[in-house]
């Protein structure tokens, strides 16, 4: 009998990771943070169900790569959130994982030092501390659920989650989302198709059984109840936007046809802004006009915003990189963010209560 190896032929190494329970014990949730998270989830759910007349806006950097800049941004955003809270409920976008078409930086959890060292355990600790710090400011957070394992480590701190255009069609992600404790937005397909998002919403509302890990890090059979707060996110696709009133009406019809809630989020970035960050404020203006003209289905928005505008490459010498500028997709700067959100608030503060 040959002793030739039959498994793990392409594995370079395996490393045992801290369990979710151990990480949570090391970095527990304070009462102040718990209040922020739970209130944030209820706020989002009430808006989706149209019990709360406000819009919720998921806004922040395309991805987090510098925790100091992220906290600086969060403190600024908290002040803005208080200013516009009567019409717009702010949720900070805190994305740690990035899907890649081929290769590239995969986000703070996977590569916290931005140098290919992939210290994932440290990345999880850095990410959890940042989420706790932001929650203690009183600001709820949102993220993209990309890796099916990481929610056990971090999602107790999240008030809203997204499933991206590349993964909306994935059954693995639909099953995972069915067990998340917060509302989940499913983006339309990269080709602009609504079908995958509608199918995902139907799937995620149902119970599922699948392999995963439990709080102790043990491989387990996970059984979920289904998530009642799934909704669609229009982000454009196939080279065209879909935030305009015609596409919104078509989305409403599709949701109605399938018996789904007509609660729509508009992603102001990606192909809705022709991948030009400077056009995001124009999308906000258009959505504002739609609501003034009588739209009742748009309940939320997503904006990619940072301290500085545009994006930059990751340099070997991190000290030479621009502070508060994205290393992934381009973002609008803080001054543009202030002007755009304030303008929307002023135009809608008397309209939304009568919606």
């Amino acid at each position: 009998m040959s002793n030739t190896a039959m498994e793990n032929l392409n594995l370079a190494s395996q490393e045992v990771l801290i369990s979710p329970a151990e990480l949570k014990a090391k970095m527990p949730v304070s009462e102040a943070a718990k209040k922020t998270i739970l209130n944030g989830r209820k706020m989002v759910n009430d808006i989706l169900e149209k019990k709360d007349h406000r819009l919720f806006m998921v806004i922040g950097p395309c991805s987090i790569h510098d925790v100091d800049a992220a906290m600086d941004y969060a403190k600024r955003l908290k002040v803005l959130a208080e200013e516009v809270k009567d019409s717009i409920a702010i949720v900070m976008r805190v994305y740690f994982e990035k899907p890649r078409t081929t290769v590239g930086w995969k986000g703070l959890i996977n590569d916290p030092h931005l140098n290919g060292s992939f210290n994932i355990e440290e990345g999880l600790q850095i990410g959890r501390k940042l989420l706790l710090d932001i929650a203690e400011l009183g600001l709820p957070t949102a993220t993209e659920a990309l890796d099916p394992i990481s929610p056990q480590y971090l999602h107790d701190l999240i008030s809203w989650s997204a499933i991206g255009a590349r993964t909306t069609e994935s059954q693995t992600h639909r099953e995972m989302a069915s067990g998340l404790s917060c509302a989940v937005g499913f983006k339309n397909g990269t080709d602009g198709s609504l079908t995958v998002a509608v199918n995902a919403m139907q799937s995620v509302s149902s119970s599922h059984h699948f392999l995963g890990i439990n709080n102790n890090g043990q491989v387990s059979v996970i059984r979920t109840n289904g998530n009642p707060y799934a909704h669609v996110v229009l982000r454009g696709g196939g080279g065209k936007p879909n935030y305009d009133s015609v596409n919104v009406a078509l989305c409403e019809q599709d949701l109605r046809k399938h018996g789904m809630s007509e609660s729509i989020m508009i992603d102001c970035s990606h192909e809705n802004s022709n991948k030009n960050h400077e056009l995001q404020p124009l999308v906000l203006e258009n959505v504002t006009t739609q609501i003034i003209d009588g739209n009742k289905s748009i309940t939320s928005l997503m904006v990619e915003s940072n301290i500085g505008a545009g994006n930059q490459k990751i340099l070997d010498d991190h000290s030479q990189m621009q502070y508060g500028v994205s290393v992934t997709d381009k973002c609008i700067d803080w001054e543009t963010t202030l002007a755009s959100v304030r303008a929307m608030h002023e135009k809608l503060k008397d309209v939304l209560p009568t919606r």
Side-chain angles (χ1 to χ4, degrees), residues 233-268:
V233 182
L234 298 182
R235 48 86 75 195
K240 294 181 282 189
N242 61 4
Y243 65 85
D244 58 280
S245 59
V246 173
N247 275 291
V248 168
L250 290 172
C251 181
E252 290 170 356
Q253 290 176 16
D254 208 355
L255 292 171
R256 198 177 309 130
K257 174 184 172 183
H258 290 89
M260 311 298 291
S261 172
E262 293 173 43
S263 195
I264 298 169
M265 172 181 274
I266 302 295
D267 181 351
C268 299

Side-chain angles (χ1 to χ4, degrees), residues 19-53:
S19 74
E22 289 169 333
L23 182 61
K24 290 169 186 174
K26 189 174 182 179
M27 297 182 173
V29 186
S30 68
E31 284 303 313
K34 181 179 179 180
K35 181 179 178 181
T36 298
I37 296 156
L38 294 178
N39 286 348
R41 290 177 183 173
K42 184 178 187 305
M43 171 191 78
V44 167
N45 294 347
D46 285 350
I47 292 173
L48 290 173
E49 291 187 324
K50 302 179 184 176
K51 295 177 181 177
D52 186 332
H53 69 263

Side-chain angles (χ1 to χ4, degrees), residues 150-226:
S150 61
Q152 283 284 19
Y153 289 92
L154 302 175
H155 260 68
D156 58 315
L157 310 179
I158 297 296
S159 293
W160 180 86
S161 191
I163 302 295
R166 293 177 180 87
T167 45
T168 287
E169 199 167 1
S170 160
Q171 185 63 11
T172 297
H173 289 81
R174 294 175 181 182
E175 291 173 346
M176 172 183 66
S178 75
L180 294 180
S181 300
C182 61
V184 183
F186 284 90
K187 294 194 176 184
N188 62 252
T190 53
D191 63 353
S193 168
L194 276 177
T195 303
V196 293
V198 172
N199 289 346
M201 290 166 62
Q202 292 176 312
S203 174
V204 80
S205 64
S206 302
S207 62
H208 288 279
H209 302 71
F210 55 92
L211 288 175
I213 66 165
N214 66 13
N215 202 38
N216 293 318
Q218 298 167 306
V219 177
S220 306
V221 177
I222 308 296
R223 297 179 176 89
T224 70
N225 293 322

Side-chain angles (χ1 to χ4, degrees), residues 44-323:
V44 167
N45 294 347
D46 285 350
I47 292 173
L48 290 173
E49 291 187 324
K50 302 179 184 176
K51 295 177 181 177
D52 186 332
H53 69 263
R54 297 178 295 169
L55 304 171
F56 76 86
M57 181 182 290
V58 175
I59 184 167
C62 174
S63 61
I64 302 297
H65 73 278
D66 178 343
V67 293
D68 292 334
M71 279 305 297
D72 182 355
Y73 182 94
K75 290 172 183 175
R76 300 181 192 206
L77 191 63
K78 174 60 178 172
V79 175
L80 179 60
E82 287 296 318
E83 183 182 329
V84 302
K85 65 182 179 181
D86 292 339
S87 61
I88 302 171
I90 296 288
V91 181
M92 182 169 164
R93 179 184 164 113
V94 186
Y95 279 35
F96 292 134
E97 300 173 283
K98 300 304 296 181
R100 311 315 274 166
T101 304
T102 53
V103 293
W105 184 64
K106 292 176 63 178
L108 189 78
I109 289 176
N110 282 279
D111 190 10
H113 300 298
L114 291 79
N115 60 4
S117 55
F118 295 103
N119 192 329
I120 293 175
E121 184 159 322
E122 187 175 356
L124 287 167
Q125 294 185 39
I126 292 170
R128 186 168 179 86
K129 183 177 187 307
L130 178 62
L131 289 171
L132 286 168
D133 288 346
I134 294 172
E136 284 168 5
L137 282 179
L139 199 59
T141 55
T143 197
E144 178 176 354
L146 184 60
D147 185 286
I149 300 295
S150 61
Q152 283 284 19
Y153 289 92
L154 302 175
H155 260 68
D156 58 315
L157 310 179
I158 297 296
S159 293
W160 180 86
S161 191
I163 302 295
R166 293 177 180 87
T167 45
T168 287
E169 199 167 1
S170 160
Q171 185 63 11
T172 297
H173 289 81
R174 294 175 181 182
E175 291 173 346
M176 172 183 66
S178 75
L180 294 180
S181 300
C182 61
V184 183
F186 284 90
K187 294 194 176 184
N188 62 252
T190 53
D191 63 353
S193 168
L194 276 177
T195 303
V196 293
V198 172
N199 289 346
M201 290 166 62
Q202 292 176 312
S203 174
V204 80
S205 64
S206 302
S207 62
H208 288 279
H209 302 71
F210 55 92
L211 288 175
I213 66 165
N214 66 13
N215 202 38
N216 293 318
Q218 298 167 306
V219 177
S220 306
V221 177
I222 308 296
R223 297 179 176 89
T224 70
N225 293 322
N227 191 327
Y229 294 104
H231 63 102
V232 68
V233 182
L234 298 182
R235 48 86 75 195
K240 294 181 282 189
N242 61 4
Y243 65 85
D244 58 280
S245 59
V246 173
N247 275 291
V248 168
L250 290 172
C251 181
E252 290 170 356
Q253 290 176 16
D254 208 355
L255 292 171
R256 198 177 309 130
K257 174 184 172 183
H258 290 89
M260 311 298 291
S261 172
E262 293 173 43
S263 195
I264 298 169
M265 172 181 274
I266 302 295
D267 181 351
C268 299
S269 187
H270 300 99
E271 282 162 294
N272 272 339
S273 61
N274 198 30
K275 299 185 179 180
N276 178 352
H277 63 293
E278 295 175 344
L279 298 182
Q280 287 189 86
L282 297 181
V283 181
L284 283 175
E285 287 181 23
N286 181 282
V287 171
T288 301
T289 300
Q290 288 186 56
I291 293 171
I292 292 171
D293 288 344
N295 172 277
K296 298 185 186 303
S297 64
I298 298 172
T299 53
S300 51
L301 301 116
M302 180 180 288
V303 179
E304 291 189 337
S305 155
N306 213 324
I307 295 170
N311 64 358
Q312 63 182 324
K313 292 182 178 180
I314 296 174
L315 303 177
D316 291 338
D317 183 354
H318 295 166
S319 68
Q320 297 302 307
M321 293 172 64
Q322 300 174 71
Y323 177 76

